Amino acid sequence: AQSVTQLDSQVPVFEEAPVELRCNYSSSVSVYLFWYVQYPNQGLQLLLKYLSGSTLVKGINGFEAEFNKSQTSFHLRKPSVHISDTAEYFCAVSDPSGYSTLTFGKGTMLLVSP
Amino acid sequence: NAGVTQTPKFQVLKTGQSMTLQCAQDMNHNSMYWYRQDPGMGLRLIYYSASEGTTDKGEVPNGYNVSRLNKREFSLRLESAAPSQTSVYFCASSLRDYNYEQYFGPGTRLTVT
């Protein structure tokens, strides 16, 4: 069985500051990793994904994440946040059986203030 | 393309009532999923359909049934609603059945009183 731990339920940050949202996963096999964003009262939108290859993955809206296999982590970063980045962020790991089911973390609420 | 659509957007039920949540996608995806989202719990998979004609249980299937009506449509039915089923329900679809991006609908907010 797989699991995902998002270490912070809420991260407050000031506009233009850097931010890191932490994600650790547990799996006995190779996995694919995803970060999704949910803006208020909307569905989820994919930010970025790691399938294979370079461990540094760039996504939309200036976000990037680094896959670290030895630490089983996939932390999300942005060098300078905007007010519009205020949203909930979910880390997810795929089911290696091949049916694309995802196991989600509990989410991290990013609160950007002026 | 409308992507993934869900109806209704909001619903209030009394305990014991039944209802069906509808989901449709126009992206020719073969896999479809139903999740529920509760505060502090993230998204949990209820049921999924890897391809037309197949359905499988996810993490929290109790109290729900699903039907993959055709390639486009995947419905979720609550036969006898309970207050514990108060949640936001999301439908998603993906292009292929091996680790491809899932596309999400806007959600249905269900309250059971």
Side-chain angles (χ1 to χ4, degrees):
Chain A
Q2 302 165 102
S3 65
V4 177
T5 302
Q6 292 184 243
L7 296 158
D8 304 294
S9 59
Q10 194 167 294
V11 173
V13 64
F14 288 109
E15 195 174 20
E16 297 183 7
V19 70
E20 178 180 82
L21 306 184
R22 297 179 293 168
C23 172
N24 286 90
Y25 69 93
S26 171
S27 176
S28 58
V29 297
S30 296
V31 295
Y32 293 171
L33 294 155
F34 304 81
W35 274 100
Y36 281 84
V37 60
Q38 183 180 32
Y39 298 104
N41 300 313
Q42 294 187 27
L44 277 72
Q45 178 184 3
L46 183 71
L47 269 181
L48 48 81
K49 61 187 176 187
Y50 172 78
L51 303 184
S52 64
S54 172
T55 57
L56 183 62
V57 180
K58 292 191 184 298
I60 62 171
N61 300 340
F63 283 92
E64 64 181 31
E66 186 156 20
F67 172 57
N68 187 319
K69 188 175 181 179
S70 62
Q71 297 190 5
T72 60
S73 67
F74 190 55
H75 300 334
L76 181 70
R77 301 185 182 100
K78 186 170 183 178
S80 177
V81 296
H82 302 287
I83 296 284
S84 60
D85 292 323
T86 294
E88 190 150 28
Y89 293 79
F90 292 94
C91 182
V93 61
S94 67
D95 179 344
S97 73
Y99 292 111
S100 294
T101 60
L102 293 174
T103 299
F104 284 87
K106 294 184 178 181
T108 297
M109 186 67 203
L110 177 64
L111 297 167
V112 183
S113 53
Chain B
N1 281 355
V4 179
T5 57
Q6 293 182 235
T7 55
K9 286 186 171 26
F10 302 93
Q11 184 70 49
V12 178
L13 290 179
K14 294 187 188 306
T15 298
Q17 288 184 319
S18 63
M19 78 161 295
T20 300
L21 281 65
Q22 306 287 356
C23 174
Q25 52 89 11
D26 62 1
M27 296 174 283
N28 203 34
H29 288 175
N30 58 355
S31 298
M32 298 185 74
Y33 314 84
W34 276 106
Y35 294 90
R36 60 177 289 171
Q37 182 180 26
D38 303 291
M41 298 293 290
L43 277 80
R44 293 179 291 169
L45 183 65
I46 305 172
Y47 272 93
Y48 67 100
S49 172
S51 60
E52 188 178 352
T54 69
T55 60
D56 285 285
K57 295 178 181 179
E59 181 185 353
V60 289
N62 291 346
Y64 305 95
N65 286 302
V66 290
S67 296
R68 184 73 183 266
L69 304 170
N70 48 54
K71 191 171 186 179
R72 289 186 64 248
E73 298 172 288
F74 187 39
S75 62
L76 178 72
R77 183 161 178 83
L78 287 68
E79 291 290 352
S80 178
S84 61
Q85 294 177 305
T86 294
S87 188
V88 182
Y89 291 85
F90 288 100
C91 178
S93 69
S94 64
L95 178 60
R96 289 164 61 169
D97 57 4
Y98 191 67
N99 298 314
Y100 273 69
E101 173 184 354
Q102 291 188 20
Y103 292 78
F104 283 80
T108 294
R109 187 173 295 273
L110 174 67
T111 301
V112 183
T113 61

